[in-house]
Amino acid sequence: MDEELRSLTERLRQESGASAAYERLEATEDPDELAQVLTEPGQPLWARELAAFRLGLAGDRRAFESLVLLLNHREPPRCATAAYALARLGDPRTARAAATLATNELRVAYALHPVRLLAELHAPESVPALITTLERRLSPHDPYRRVALACVEGLGALADDRARPVLNEALAHPSLAEEAVRALARIPRQR
């Protein structure tokens, strides 16, 4: 069993109180049954998360909207599992949704997982969104250093020359400098 799925199932089994409904949902192989959980009113959050995650891993695009909502959730474990499933879903809307969440200043406290997802996707939206998010995090006393660091790491992984100016600016920030040096070293020199 995949480690991310194992972690999710343990957490959601506890949340559900190991109910019969949980056991049924965890065991079903019917994608329509899982999709129904996403649209049926009154379903608990644990059930929606489990159904969306399983559908996402199966490449079923009916999970997209639920996974995007979970990617922007206030609880980091939900964001992490949503990002994992979205990266495997293969929906072309994923990068645009992640870029929107990563660059939304009203929700910057929840931008860590969208930023990491953008780096993993290597989509056309990834570099511009990470640059924008990082530029905003470079102001003095910005409280979102983990988001800034994830942007620097992501830009290093993407190794796109457009990131060079913002990474050079990140060198002036002690908490980002070491990773910015590594990121800059990964970007090929233009000839």
Side-chain angles (χ1 to χ4, degrees):
M1 179 188 290
D2 185 275
E3 185 56 38
E4 196 69 33
L5 180 58
R6 183 185 329 276
S7 172
L8 171 85
T9 55
E10 287 173 14
R11 179 172 53 81
L12 297 185
R13 182 174 284 120
Q14 282 186 318
E15 260 185 59
S16 73
S19 67
Y22 170 83
E23 297 300 333
R24 186 188 79 250
L25 197 57
E26 200 258 328
T28 188
E29 295 299 323
D30 181 3
D32 292 333
E33 184 179 350
L34 293 169
Q36 185 176 354
V37 170
L38 301 179
T39 58
E40 223 171 56
Q43 289 292 329
L45 182 57
W46 64 261
R48 292 183 191 283
E49 183 178 2
L50 180 59
F53 185 83
R54 293 196 57 215
L55 287 169
L57 292 187
D60 190 321
R61 293 186 180 170
R62 292 178 288 182
F64 177 76
E65 287 83 5
S66 295
L67 289 171
V68 170
L69 288 172
L70 290 165
L71 181 63
N72 195 35
H73 200 274
R74 69 181 175 275
E75 296 174 30
R78 294 194 199 286
C79 301
T81 56
Y84 183 85
L86 280 165
R88 284 140 189 85
L89 178 60
D91 192 301
R93 301 171 290 175
T94 300
R96 189 170 344 128
T100 299
L101 293 174
T103 59
N104 182 344
E105 277 299 290
L106 298 176
R107 301 287 293 172
V108 70
Y110 309 108
L112 181 62
H113 293 286
V115 162
R116 289 178 176 163
L117 177 58
L118 283 167
E120 186 175 351
L121 292 174
H122 292 263
E125 297 87 347
S126 296
V127 171
L130 294 179
I131 289 171
T132 297
T133 304
L134 180 56
E135 286 172 340
R136 293 173 180 167
R137 306 284 59 87
L138 294 179
S139 63
H141 311 295
D142 184 82
Y144 304 107
R145 282 292 164 215
R146 290 184 65 212
V147 173
L149 185 58
C151 288
V152 171
E153 291 167 347
L155 289 168
L158 296 169
D160 189 301
D161 194 57
R162 294 174 291 174
R164 195 177 296 282
V166 74
L167 290 171
N168 280 321
E169 287 181 50
L171 292 171
H173 297 266
S175 61
L176 304 174
E178 189 176 320
E179 192 60 41
V181 167
R182 278 196 286 276
L184 284 163
R186 294 179 78 180
I187 298 174
R189 289 273 176 207
Q190 300 289 31
R191 296 186 191 259

